[in-house]
């Protein structure tokens, strides 16, 4: 039997996405704001408290003035779950990249995307996007799910935190302790560069690229979505990062990380990939359900 | 933590009185420069030309601002990761650079050069653009407008908050 398909128009998806970007460019995800308030309450270092105050106050002012939380308005990263009973008018990437271009203009966001990653150093490759190109490149992860809905997890991902990511192919006989050390060292050695306090995404398993995708995806999850299995490990890693005392903006205090979030996937018996992806305190994440 | 209200340019005596961890409310002129502007600037100077940015007058601010919305003095501003500019910094310090604003650690070589030349590295908080933009009195495009966010902009600021990191 053939089920009826639900048509989601390009215009509707664009409208929802532009509206969502309009929320997050000037405001962080509410749970992250709560975690920052908790961090401030637990922090005893004067300098760290001074910075945390500013970080918290900035969100209220940014929201009110409709100014970006941060001048790096980021790269739009989307995890999309598309119901099998949905019909789209055009490819989802086209819709999202057009919506991004409109949102960036509308909210006076910084265009931070270099079309050529080598910035035009090779004579054959130009680092310019044509003026007429009504699209802004994004990163899209698309998965199919049952049902007739479209769920979009959006993030504005800044470069400073992204640059401090790491991936290591461990020996499958590696002890959990080695993995913990790798994650802790990655965050601590990043110092102030990713704008701590950070949220730490960890992907364990899958293959080379899936571990990285899991690490990024973990940044979008709440604890219910991650299950209970790794909860103690998450807490342990968090405690050990903060004990090392790099602190707020890498300058002072004990709040280097706000949360550690682990996602896992089955992997080949010869492999044990582990990836770490950081998000700064700006944490501009939102879910759109259509 | 001592809070000091200071104006640019800094004298050598002023710089040597700074203590790591002091908070500074800064008045004066900031010139933004990040990856591409640094590449251009250093290429020009290595070719024997004088620096088009008055390195000893204001502070060099590692920043790529966002566009200015209508009716505002400036868009969002804030520090970008300083370590990316490490490769250029000792050369600029040799040519008179005194005050740098960014975020994150510097290489041991840059730390040494900052101390050797009696300069100072200040850290501003990342991700507090709305607060920082309140400190901006005026803003103009100074050099290489085609570079967009990576161009050099000249900001006059008042009470711009930052912390002494390396001195
Ligand atoms: S890491 Fe985040 S808060 Fe820091 S500058 Fe980048 S986007 Fe802004």
């Amino acid at each position: 039997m053939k089920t009826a398909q639900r048509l989601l128009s390009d215009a509707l998806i664009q409208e929802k996405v532009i509206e969502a970007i309009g929320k997050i460019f000037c405001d962080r995800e509410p749970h992250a704001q709560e975690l920052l308030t908790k961090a401030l309450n637990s922090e005893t270092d004067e300098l760290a408290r001074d910075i945390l105050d500013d970080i918290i106050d900035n969100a209220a002012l940014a929201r009110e003035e409709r100014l970006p939380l941060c001048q790096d308005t980021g790269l739009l990263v989307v995890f999309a779950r598309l119901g099998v009973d949905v019909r789209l008018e055009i490819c989802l990437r086209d819709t999202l990249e057009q919506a991004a271009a409109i949102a960036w203009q509308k909210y006076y966001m910084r265009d931070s995307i270099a079309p050529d990653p080598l910035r035009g150093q090779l004579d054959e490759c130009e680092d310019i996007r044509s003026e007429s190109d009504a699209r802004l490149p994004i990163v899209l992860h698309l998965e199919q799910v049952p049902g007739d809905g479209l769920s979009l997890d959006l993030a504005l991902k800044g470069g400073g935190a992204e640059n401090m990511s790491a991936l290591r192919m461990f020996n499958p006989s590696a002890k959990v302790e080695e993995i913990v050390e790798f994650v802790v060292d990655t965050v601590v050695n990043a110092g102030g560069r990713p704008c701590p306090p950070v949220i730490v995404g960890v992907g364990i398993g899958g293959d080379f690229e899936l571990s990285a995708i899991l690490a990024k995806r973990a940044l979008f999850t709440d604890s219910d979505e991650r299950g209970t299995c790794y909860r103690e490990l998450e807490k342990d890693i968090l405690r050990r990062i903060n004990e090392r005392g790099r602190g707020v903006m890498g300058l002072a205090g004990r709040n280097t990380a706000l949360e550690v979030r682990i996602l896992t996937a089955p992997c080949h018996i010869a492999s044990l990939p582990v990836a770490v992806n950081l998000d700064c305190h700006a944490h501009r994440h939102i879910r759109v359900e259509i | 933590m001592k809070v000091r209200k200071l104006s640019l340019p800094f004298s050598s005596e002023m710089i040597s009185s700074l203590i790591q961890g002091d908070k500074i409310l800064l008045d004066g002129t900031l010139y933004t420069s990040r990856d591409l502007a640094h590449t251009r600037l250093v290429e020009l100077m290595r070719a024997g030309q004088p620096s088009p940015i008055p390195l000893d007058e204001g502070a060099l601010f590692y920043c790529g601002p966002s566009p200015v919305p209508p009716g505002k003095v400036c868009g969002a501003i804030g520090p970008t990761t300083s370590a990316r500019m490490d490769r250029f910094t000792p050369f600029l310090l040799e040519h008179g650079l005194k005050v740098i604003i960014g975020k994150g650690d510097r290489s041991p070589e840059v730390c040494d050069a900052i101390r050797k030349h009696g300069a100072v590295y200040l850290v501003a908080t990342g991700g507090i653009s709305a607060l920082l933009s309140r400190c901006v009195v005026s803003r103009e495009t100074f050099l290489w407008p085609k570079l967009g966010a990576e161009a050099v902009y000249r900001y006059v600021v008042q009470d711009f908050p930052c912390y002494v990191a390396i001195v």
Side-chain angles (χ1 to χ4, degrees), chain A residues 64-119:
Chain A
E64 195 186 302
E65 301 241 327
R66 306 282 295 158
L67 266 175
L69 272 184
C70 181
Q71 81 289 343
D72 181 357
T73 49
L75 162 72
L76 181 63
V77 178
V78 183
F79 282 90
R81 274 170 300 221
L82 178 64
V84 286
D85 297 326
V86 171
R87 193 158 61 80
L88 299 176
E89 288 177 318
I90 61 171
C91 291
L92 188 59
R93 173 179 294 279
D94 295 336
T95 297
L96 295 175
E97 293 195 341
Q98 282 167 21
I102 294 168
W104 252 250
Q105 287 261 329
K106 181 170 178 187
Y107 306 123
Y108 297 90
M109 292 162 69
R110 192 182 83 185
D111 183 344
S112 312
I113 308 304
D116 175 29
L118 295 184
R119 312 303 308 264

Side-chain angles (χ1 to χ4, degrees), chain B residues 19-128:
Chain B
I19 295 169
Q20 194 183 5
D22 279 354
K23 179 174 185 174
I24 306 229
L25 298 172
L26 195 63
D27 290 354
T29 309
L30 315 183
Y31 295 90
T32 68
S33 178
R34 45 177 290 155
D35 311 68
L36 282 184
H38 267 76
T39 308
R40 280 204 188 178
L41 178 65
V42 170
E43 262 172 22
L44 271 179
M45 291 169 68
R46 284 200 199 282
Q49 295 194 38
S51 167
I53 302 174
L55 292 174
D56 50 356
E57 177 202 292
L60 203 59
F61 180 26
Y62 301 146
C63 168
S66 73
V68 187
K72 305 258 186 204
V73 178
C74 65
I77 55 164
T80 192
T81 302
S82 308
R84 296 201 314 272
M85 270 52 80
D86 278 355
R87 60 173 66 188
F88 306 109
T89 305
F91 177 83
L92 294 175
L93 289 164
E94 275 162 34
H95 290 77
L97 177 61
K98 286 287 174 218
V99 184
I100 305 168
I101 307 172
K103 63 160 165 124
D105 297 352
R106 309 305 303 259
S107 69
E109 193 199 349
V110 170
C111 295
D112 290 347
I114 287 171
R115 296 196 178 104
K116 183 175 145 205
H117 294 285
V120 59
Y121 171 54
L122 305 170
V123 164
T125 303
I128 58 160

Side-chain angles (χ1 to χ4, degrees), chain A residues 69-74 156-162 192-196 249 279-284, chain B residues 78-81 103 125-129:
Chain A
L69 272 184
C70 181
Q71 81 289 343
D72 181 357
T73 49
L156 300 176
K157 195 74 175 64
E162 186 71 8
R193 286 173 279 182
C195 290
M249 283 311 289
D279 203 15
C280 54
H281 60 72
H283 201 59
R284 296 158 293 190
Chain B
T80 192
T81 302
K103 63 160 165 124
T125 303
I128 58 160
S129 289

Side-chain angles (χ1 to χ4, degrees), chain A residues 232-282:
Chain A
E232 284 311 309
L233 187 63
E234 290 175 346
K235 282 191 200 153
D236 186 40
I237 297 175
L238 179 66
R239 186 181 48 77
R240 288 177 55 177
I241 291 168
N242 288 336
E243 266 174 17
R244 298 262 298 265
R246 278 312 310 253
V248 179
M249 283 311 289
L251 290 176
R254 295 181 83 81
N255 283 287
T256 312
L258 298 171
E259 237 173 35
V260 174
R261 301 176 181 176
I262 300 176
L263 285 181
T264 63
C267 66
H268 192 287
I269 50 171
S271 301
L272 178 47
V274 179
V276 182
N277 189 234
L278 303 183
D279 203 15
C280 54
H281 60 72

